[in-house]
Amino acid sequence: MRDMSEVEHRILGQFIAHHFPFAKRALSLAHFISQVVSTVHPKWEAIHYRVEKDLLVMIPPEVLDVHKNNQMESALSTISSVQDLSAIYLACGLQDQEYDNVVDQIKHHYPHIEVYNKKHILKGFPEIEFQFNLLTLEEQALVDWLVCQAAPSFSGWYNSSFSYLAAYIRHYRGISSTNTKLGPETTGIWDVWFPRI
């Protein structure tokens, strides 16, 4: 047991970013989703929107409400900061009604922005949607995560391992730091294990 050196961390990051064997089925679906959005929208951003109710295991309901407000403010701030943005992809596991409420809030501020998620995109492609529906919830989340890695721009919540590790891989793939945003300010929670050097 020892601390890894910066060189070792860099080698590990590059290995995970370029050679780690993610599941082919999830990679294929993520690539398809990214291509569909990119075909219609030259400038789009994936946003990890982490407000699912399983957070109640870790935080009380009143804190979840504050967290939801913070996530919405962060999403709106992201949209306003990207010039010529025409669409966002929401990586989330919200039920339909909750998802629709989030979309309504975003569209209230930015009616010109198209908002997508994995399920809405795949509805137009029944054969691929069938393949997607065969996946477990964890595998479906992996599809979202892979879309976040490949998106032209990505923003997420720093304290979420999902967001942080997507940003980590983007970093080691050489994607400009201006196209990857994590908020709020860095706390160092994930940097101990997965530093972006």
Side-chain angles (χ1 to χ4, degrees), residues 95-163:
Q95 299 300 314
D96 288 344
Q97 185 174 352
E98 296 169 311
Y99 174 81
D100 290 342
N101 289 338
V102 169
V103 172
D104 287 344
Q105 289 181 65
I106 292 170
K107 298 286 269 180
H108 175 75
H109 294 276
Y110 299 100
H112 68 285
I113 294 287
E114 291 294 329
V115 183
Y116 297 99
N117 73 2
K118 53 191 176 287
K119 292 182 180 177
H120 288 105
I121 289 172
L122 295 178
K123 277 184 182 172
F125 306 92
E127 290 180 15
I128 298 172
E129 181 184 28
F130 177 77
Q131 293 174 30
F132 177 81
N133 288 334
L134 293 175
L135 301 178
T136 66
L137 288 176
E138 288 78 11
E139 290 172 314
Q140 291 179 8
L142 175 60
V143 171
D144 264 347
W145 190 63
L146 294 166
V147 170
C148 290
Q149 290 175 28
S153 295
F154 167 68
S155 64
W157 202 248
Y158 184 86
N159 291 333
S160 162
S161 59
F162 181 107
S163 288

Side-chain angles (χ1 to χ4, degrees), residues 53-65 67:
K53 289 180 181 171
D54 65 314
L55 284 172
L56 289 173
V57 173
M58 298 176 274
I59 58 177
E62 62 274 11
V63 176
L64 180 60
D65 289 338
H67 180 68

Side-chain angles (χ1 to χ4, degrees), residues 143-197:
V143 171
D144 264 347
W145 190 63
L146 294 166
V147 170
C148 290
Q149 290 175 28
S153 295
F154 167 68
S155 64
W157 202 248
Y158 184 86
N159 291 333
S160 162
S161 59
F162 181 107
S163 288
Y164 183 85
L165 291 172
Y168 173 86
I169 288 179
R170 289 171 65 85
H171 172 78
Y172 282 107
R173 286 184 179 164
I175 296 172
S176 170
S177 60
T178 60
N179 293 328
T180 303
K181 299 174 284 298
L182 294 176
E185 288 187 17
T186 300
T187 60
I189 186 170
W190 305 114
D191 284 317
V192 175
W193 298 286
F194 296 100
R196 290 169 292 167
I197 296 169

